[in-house]
Amino acid sequence: MAGVMGDKLHWWQTRWFVATMALAAAIPLLWPDIPPLLDLPGHMARYRVSLEYDNQPILRDWYNFQWSLIGNLGIDLLVIPLAKLIGLEPAVKLIVIAIPVLTVSGLLWIAREVHGRVPATALFALPLAYSYPFQFGFVNFALSMAIALNLFALWLRLARLGHLRLRAILFVPLSCALWLCHTYGWGVLGVLAFSAEMIRQHDIRKDRQSGHWLESWIRAGLGCLPLALPMALMIFWRSGDHVTGQTADYFNWKAKYAWVLMILRDRWKWWDVGSAIAIFLLLAKGVHDRHIVYSRNLALSALFLLAMYLLLPRIVFGSAYADMRLAPFVFAIALIGLRPRPGSPGRSQARYAVVGLAFVLLRLVGTTWSYALYDREYDRVLTALDHIPTHARVLSFVGRHCGEPWAYSRVEHLPGMLMVRKLAFTNDQWSMAGAQQLTVRYPAAPRFAHDPSQLVVDHWCRGEWWRPFDYSMAAFPRTAFDYVWVLDPPTPYNPALLKGLTPIWQSGRDTLFRIDDRTQPPKPPTPPRIERLQARLYGPSAVK
């Protein structure tokens, strides 16, 4: 790269600038008490259960919690020592802040290892540290991907320095630790490492004027064997009788197209889609431009990730949005794969750097503002917790729409804070054996014990589990709960269903009811197709 850009470091290539960019990635998360990521409060509830399960016997009435070796334990393990030092909520916030910081550092480190210097165009990849999967709250996944990027950079560095034996030794435990954080990160690291090793082996054969691409493939596979040990862990994890969850919805092209447009989805559609289009235009420009060109190494890595994205189904082992999670990283790797063409004038790269830095700063300002608004909403809603006693049993209903708006309130799992702050039960926790250590075991409310029973709509939605609000209010077992917490309910609804419920807190359309009359209203009829869906989700007893 020195031959392309000379020996002088430009301002965007200096260590202080890289460090500043990495630290700046934390800014949107500094103000909110709870990082406003959709699923995060639900995960925090699980962390609280794991910390208190042995000390709070009542938790055994609601949950079964058992540690097991699975590829989805990143933050679950990290919060144990940190929560003892600084408390659960600060510990979670600190770890979540580290995710975009590590994502940015990993992207810039990879760019430096591949190109020799950080190209100006790499700046356009940095806003993807706040990609839609991160906003969704897939925190173990996001942490594993951030770590995977840094490990890939280390993999490249050790190869560049010729420390192949050291690399093989180091990456056996490192790959296992990454798999333990989240399987996805380990898989992506394997794809990136294999593509990079294939290019390296091909260049070695080319310099010697011997060999073939097939030999490079074989040697690349052998070179990646230190990453293979988690395959045994994967087989052990997925072979138990306790494992559930389907793999389904292959080649859903409409959804895959939508995920591409949503790579930066947050609050303002025009801004998020416009930013994504700017990225697409830059990538298209790199195909045939006088000033920028793709690195073979990272271009191949991006193509491999693109193939993964196209082949992955939407649901893997019962976890939804498996393909969506990969989309932003396809574009991030492609972006850092761009570099100046040989002989390109320095002023053209300076222009890319200025525009790229402006892009980063504008996205940071927008995300910071958006998170401040979400934090204000969280603070308003959580004042209801002042009216709920410890160990209460709370049924939560959160309104949503069959057609999802671009910006949503992110309160779908905010009821999880009941467990975090009050050790109170609510029905928003996921329950899928084999996917995590916690499963819900509250037999008094079989159809209203876990996610997605907390989600309510104004009418039955085609192909969804969600129930209409009127149906849920009539059907939930009043003897199983002490309170009903309603957030942003669909309107209009039947006020007769509130009989026996006393409002004790209200803010806007959000209301907390105390159940004073446990007389069960007549159960409304259930459409046959909904009975079948509920039987699949909750078991045959759900339709009795």
Side-chain angles (χ1 to χ4, degrees), residues 245-470:
Q246 63 174 335
T247 296
D249 201 8
Y250 286 88
F251 308 119
N252 187 336
W253 302 119
K254 183 178 180 180
K256 290 181 185 295
Y257 171 75
W259 302 146
V260 168
L261 292 179
M262 293 180 190
I263 55 174
L264 287 170
R265 180 177 176 180
D266 179 14
R267 180 182 291 270
W268 301 286
K269 184 174 183 179
W270 63 271
W271 172 233
D272 299 333
V273 174
S275 298
I277 290 174
I279 287 175
F280 305 154
L281 291 175
L282 178 61
L283 292 174
K285 189 177 176 65
V287 175
H288 185 69
D289 187 78
R290 293 182 303 162
H291 302 304
I292 55 176
V293 66
Y294 283 99
S295 150
R296 290 180 308 135
N297 189 328
L298 292 178
L300 183 63
S301 296
L303 288 174
F304 276 19
L305 291 180
L306 177 61
M308 275 184 65
Y309 174 68
L310 296 176
L311 293 174
L312 271 173
R314 187 179 65 87
I315 303 172
V316 175
F317 301 148
S319 296
Y321 309 115
D323 53 350
M324 176 267 277
R325 305 181 193 203
L326 186 59
F329 295 93
V330 175
F331 294 101
I333 295 298
L335 284 167
I336 62 174
L338 290 169
R339 64 185 178 195
R341 282 188 181 274
S344 174
R347 63 179 179 275
S348 70
Q349 298 310 305
R351 284 196 294 268
Y352 278 117
V354 171
V355 176
L357 180 58
F359 183 59
V360 172
L361 295 179
L362 287 172
R363 289 297 309 180
L364 275 177
V365 169
T367 305
T368 302
W369 183 16
S370 175
Y371 279 20
L373 295 175
Y374 285 128
D375 179 66
R376 185 170 66 183
E377 182 180 13
Y378 277 17
D379 289 344
R380 176 187 63 79
V381 172
L382 290 176
T383 58
L385 271 61
D386 298 334
H387 304 269
I388 298 174
T390 302
H391 297 158
R393 301 169 303 168
V394 183
L395 179 68
S396 300
F397 287 137
V398 181
R400 64 170 302 163
H401 306 276
C402 295
E404 189 177 87
W406 187 267
Y408 40 82
S409 63
R410 303 201 183 182
V411 297
E412 283 186 15
H413 288 280
L414 194 60
M417 296 306 295
L418 285 162
M419 174 57 65
V420 174
R421 296 182 179 179
K422 294 288 185 174
L423 289 173
F425 176 85
T426 192
N427 58 312
D428 83 312
Q429 191 59 231
W430 304 274
S431 186
M432 185 178 296
Q436 57 190 31
Q437 297 75 39
L438 184 148
T439 52
V440 180
R441 53 179 298 179
Y442 189 39
R447 293 181 297 143
F448 292 89
H450 60 76
D451 176 88
S453 65
Q454 84 280 13
L455 300 178
V456 290
V457 289
D458 58 354
H459 64 277
W460 295 105
C461 299
R462 182 177 180 83
E464 296 290 354
W465 313 106
W466 315 321
R467 305 182 181 106
F469 181 56
D470 284 3

Side-chain angles (χ1 to χ4, degrees), residues 35-54:
L37 312 179
L38 183 64
D39 284 355
L40 183 60
H43 294 308
M44 293 173 69
R46 184 177 72 252
Y47 308 151
R48 176 61 75 192
V49 172
S50 72
L51 294 169
E52 303 292 344
Y53 195 69
D54 293 332

Side-chain angles (χ1 to χ4, degrees), residues 517-529:
D517 182 357
R518 300 187 183 277
T519 303
Q520 195 70 36
K523 179 186 174 182
T526 307
R529 67 178 182 85

